[in-house]
Amino acid sequence: MVNKLGRKLLIPLEGQPLDIQGFEQPRELLNRIPEDLTSLLDLVQRPVVSASQFSRAQLLQLARLASRYETQPQHSVRPLTGKILVSAFYEPSTRTRLSFESAWHRLGGDIMSITDPASTGIAKGESLFDIGEMLNHYSDLVVLRDSNENAVYEMLESLRIPIVNGGNGTDEHPTQAMADIYALLKWRPALCDASIDSGQRIRFAIIGVPGVMRTVRSLLILMSQFAPAFEEVVIITDEAEPFAAGQREELESAGLCFRISDDMQKELPQLDVIYINTIAWLGDDYQELGSRYGLSAASPLKAGAAILHPLARGAELARDLDGTEHNWYFAQARGAVFMRMALLSTILKTFA
Ligand code: CP
């Protein structure tokens, strides 16, 4: 069927299998990670501002819980019934806002959503401190995205309910990094094990700028909890200094081993995982950095290599990769719902 614009009308076939990487792997995580919910108790009623708040044990238990939600959705008992989420997004978002809201809905809770700060007292000069004080009375948890990296800390000063950082300027995006780690664990479940064979160690590349990309910054912090699994982390960039002051040293002291390269084509055949991102929020707007690097089905990718991308994508990630074995970015976005369910139910201690 063709419409008046001459475009084909694509109608999904009923019963067509879901063709997405990582669909079966959650079961393997359930088998590999022994359940020990005690490590999660430290997260109960706590704010989540930085990826550095999470231990390896907590990440594994959250991944296990996410796997449970992903594989057994019919067993959800809607533990957040009667609980209210304020979803405050003062900067555009597709995945973070909607996957948090989807997670909260799937757990049975209700949502008040702010997508435009001008619809709140901020338009009249009200402070985030005062808004935080109000939210204590109206809700049980807040997710905040703001292009100002201090916003989450300003709201924290008056909040007595937990807040989750949904991305603060160029600083951090901890729950995106949790979704990234969940995808990585599904791609290579051996990463869950206490020790890893040398043959299983990963050459991981980041096409991006760790110093100013919040997704990359948080991901590297979480990767440092799994440092022995990474043979090296190659930063592919043409920026002269891609790290923020002290960032590389801190990550290296946590065990990650970095190399910087500007030659993507030369690196690709040796890489097991390629994390690509071009968007960085700088001030009140976003910029595309490193967009001269692009991946497509014609790129010289190693067999079995996984591509991760926090999305939204631009020209750097061609759609002809979507139907290939390298597409782990859709699994990454899909798994974010279950990882956020795991985190939310942990913070509100309804995970047992
Ligand atoms: N990954 C991510 O933060 O996407 P959104 O901007 O759509 O939330």
Side-chain angles (χ1 to χ4, degrees), residues 92-97 145 173 176 214-215 310-312:
S93 168
T94 302
R95 277 146 296 277
T96 311
R97 182 169 76 83
R145 168 172 290 186
H173 195 346
Q176 175 62 47
R214 62 193 179 201
T215 55
L311 306 175

Side-chain angles (χ1 to χ4, degrees), residues 20-244:
I20 187 167
Q21 302 285 354
F23 195 56
E24 289 301 322
Q25 284 82 346
R27 285 182 186 83
E28 191 164 346
L29 297 192
L30 279 175
N31 295 332
R32 270 195 189 251
I33 305 170
E35 188 175 58
D36 177 12
L37 295 173
T38 54
S39 66
L40 296 182
L41 293 175
D42 286 345
L43 300 175
V44 172
Q45 287 297 322
R46 302 293 301 161
V48 173
V49 178
S50 167
S52 59
Q53 292 173 240
F54 295 94
S55 67
R56 184 176 189 280
Q58 286 170 336
L59 291 169
L60 289 176
Q61 288 306 314
L62 287 166
R64 191 180 195 285
L65 199 47
S67 303
R68 224 172 76 193
Y69 285 126
E70 188 165 4
T71 52
Q72 304 164 3
Q74 69 280 14
H75 290 158
S76 171
V77 290
R78 303 176 72 77
L80 296 189
T81 300
K83 301 283 185 192
I84 297 174
L85 170 72
V86 166
S87 163
F89 278 70
Y90 297 160
E91 183 195 280
S93 168
T94 302
R95 277 146 296 277
T96 311
R97 182 169 76 83
L98 295 178
S99 67
F100 260 116
E101 295 188 5
S102 173
W104 194 272
H105 275 303
R106 285 166 194 251
L107 293 166
D110 298 308
I111 295 170
M112 297 188 294
S113 194
I114 306 166
T115 55
D116 179 5
S119 70
T120 69
I122 286 178
K124 298 182 277 190
E126 188 172 25
S127 67
L128 286 169
F129 179 93
D130 280 357
I131 290 177
E133 176 55 39
M134 301 306 110
L135 297 184
N136 286 320
H137 309 287
Y138 304 160
S139 57
D140 298 283
L141 189 142
V142 183
V143 178
L144 177 70
R145 168 172 290 186
D146 200 304
S147 51
N148 174 359
E149 62 188 51
N150 293 312
V152 66
Y153 295 99
E154 283 171 29
M155 212 179 251
L156 251 178
E157 282 180 36
S158 58
L159 278 178
R160 297 180 293 281
I161 57 173
I163 186 169
V164 178
N165 179 5
N168 63 325
T170 58
D171 185 29
E172 284 223 41
H173 195 346
T175 63
Q176 175 62 47
M178 291 167 67
D180 301 344
I181 290 291
Y182 186 46
L184 201 58
L185 294 176
K186 286 192 280 186
W187 171 77
R188 183 65 60 85
L191 291 177
C192 302
D193 300 346
S195 64
I196 188 154
D197 294 343
S198 55
Q200 295 269 349
R201 297 184 83 207
I202 296 168
R203 287 187 189 281
F204 193 107
I206 288 176
I207 304 174
V209 187
V212 293
M213 290 177 175
R214 62 193 179 201
T215 55
V216 175
R217 184 190 286 269
S218 290
L219 175 60
L220 287 171
I221 293 171
L222 292 193
M223 282 170 60
S224 70
Q225 296 286 348
F226 297 85
F230 299 102
E231 185 74 30
E232 65 173 353
V233 180
V234 185
I235 306 296
I236 298 177
T237 180
D238 47 17
E239 299 279 324
E241 183 38 83
F243 290 96

